[in-house]
């Protein structure tokens, strides 16, 4: 049953802000771009050039809309963890990462089967070329787990675990600051400055982690999609 809670509200806010920013950049688009349009174009070019084209080559254009959507959805979901009054990453609960991972999973299975047929795709995925046939008894089950279980599962879990860890560190730092400043007595109050400094430092680090995890999730998605349509893996 649908439940409106804090994490759902944060997801709605992050999605609305993301859409509004790109609509604003597109509405004011001109031949000589302004600052907002420049930033939007640089962000889009980063996904196109540094993720899609470098990873997928001639297949990049086909999957670029999907990869762009994934990158900015994950980034917007991650960055809410350091936004005042929101203070929780939308991706720190498994639901959103799992939905995105399942999207990638269904897509790379679908495009692989469409190109090679079911038998051809299974052969390409589960029977690596160049191995002695006897080794397929060991290798094929491992490849099957990797293709059908580990890829989508690790995509979702990696993102969720990183955002949960960052959230917990920030909670600990700022809770310690509150304790030392308002609850502790005497010289112990001085530790509030240390915990506050650590909290600010980890907040800046969380911004980097938010960007990095969006990049990693999108990059791995591009790799999996490209593997599905290539002859040899």
């Amino acid at each position: 049953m649908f439940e409106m809670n804090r994490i759902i509200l944060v997801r709605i806010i992050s999605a609305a802000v993301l859409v509004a920013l790109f609509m604003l950049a597109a509405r004011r688009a001109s031949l000589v771009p302004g600052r907002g349009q420049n930033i939007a174009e640089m962000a889009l070019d980063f996904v196109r050039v540094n993720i899609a084209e470098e990873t997928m080559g001639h297949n990049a254009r086909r999957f670029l809309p999907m990869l762009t959507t994934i990158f900015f959805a994950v980034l917007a979901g991650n960055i809410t963890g350091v936004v005042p009054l929101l203070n929780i990453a939308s991706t720190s609960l498994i639901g959103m990462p799992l939905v995105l991972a399942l999207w990638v999973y269904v897509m790379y299975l679908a495009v692989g089967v469409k190109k090679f047929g079911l038998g051809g795709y299974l052969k390409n995925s589960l029977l690596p070329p160049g191995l002695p046939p006897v080794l397929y008894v060991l290798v094929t089950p491992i490849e099957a787990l990797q293709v059908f279980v580990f890829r989508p599962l690790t995509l979702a879990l990696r993102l969720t675990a990183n955002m949960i860890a960052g959230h917990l560190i920030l909670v600990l730092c700022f809770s310690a600051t509150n304790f030392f400043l308002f609850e502790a007595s005497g010289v112990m109050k001085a530790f509030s400055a240390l915990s506050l400094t650590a909290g600010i430092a980890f907040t800046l680090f969380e911004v980097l982690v938010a960007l990095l995890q969006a990049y990693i999730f999108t990059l791995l998605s591009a790799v999996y999609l490209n593997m599905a349509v290539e002859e040899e893996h």
Side-chain angles (χ1 to χ4, degrees):
M1 182 178 291
F2 179 80
E3 177 188 3
M4 177 56 71
N5 52 31
R6 182 183 174 192
I7 196 75
I8 297 296
L9 180 61
V10 170
R11 286 172 178 167
I12 292 172
I13 292 172
S14 63
V17 170
L18 181 63
V19 170
L21 288 175
F22 275 101
M23 287 182 64
L24 186 62
R27 189 183 67 179
R28 297 183 177 180
S30 62
L31 188 60
V32 181
R35 183 180 302 175
Q37 184 180 340
N38 255 327
I39 294 173
E41 290 180 355
M42 287 174 60
L44 292 170
D45 281 344
F46 173 78
V47 179
R48 178 178 61 84
V49 176
N50 296 89
I51 298 178
E53 291 181 355
E54 285 193 3
T55 304
M56 308 188 76
H58 63 279
N59 293 317
R61 186 174 181 180
R62 178 182 179 185
F63 298 104
L64 184 58
M66 177 184 180
L67 295 175
T68 302
T69 302
I70 288 174
F71 178 83
F72 288 105
V74 174
L75 179 59
N78 290 351
I79 209 70
T80 55
V82 296
V83 175
L85 303 180
L86 300 182
N87 298 117
I88 187 168
S90 304
T91 50
S92 61
L93 287 182
I94 193 66
M96 180 180 174
L98 190 59
V99 168
L100 293 173
L102 287 175
W103 184 20
V104 176
Y105 176 69
V106 170
M107 280 296 297
Y108 76 67
L109 291 180
V111 297
V113 171
K114 182 179 179 180
K115 180 168 183 179
F116 300 108
L118 180 59
Y121 178 70
L122 291 176
K123 178 182 177 182
N124 285 341
S125 300
L126 306 182
L127 304 174
L131 288 179
V134 68
L135 291 182
Y136 287 138
V137 177
L138 297 175
V139 172
T140 299
I142 296 173
E143 291 293 327
L145 285 173
Q146 177 176 283
V147 172
F148 299 112
V149 179
F150 293 155
R151 286 179 188 173
L153 193 61
T154 54
L155 266 181
L157 290 179
R158 181 187 296 106
L159 176 58
T160 304
N162 276 280
M163 302 320 297
I164 288 175
H167 181 70
L168 290 177
I169 290 173
L170 292 181
V171 168
L172 289 173
C173 287
F174 291 116
S175 295
T177 301
N178 182 76
F179 171 77
F180 287 127
L181 190 60
F182 297 108
E183 303 292 335
S185 59
V187 69
M188 294 293 290
K189 287 184 178 293
F191 285 101
S192 62
L194 181 61
S195 59
L196 178 60
T197 302
I200 294 172
F202 276 115
T203 298
L204 297 176
F205 181 69
E206 270 301 286
V207 174
L208 176 62
V209 171
L211 290 165
L212 185 61
Q213 289 303 314
Y215 171 75
I216 291 173
F217 193 102
T218 311
L219 179 66
L220 289 175
S221 299
V223 169
Y224 297 156
L225 289 166
N226 196 55
M227 290 173 68
V229 294
E230 290 295 322
E231 294 286 345
E232 295 183 0
H233 299 170

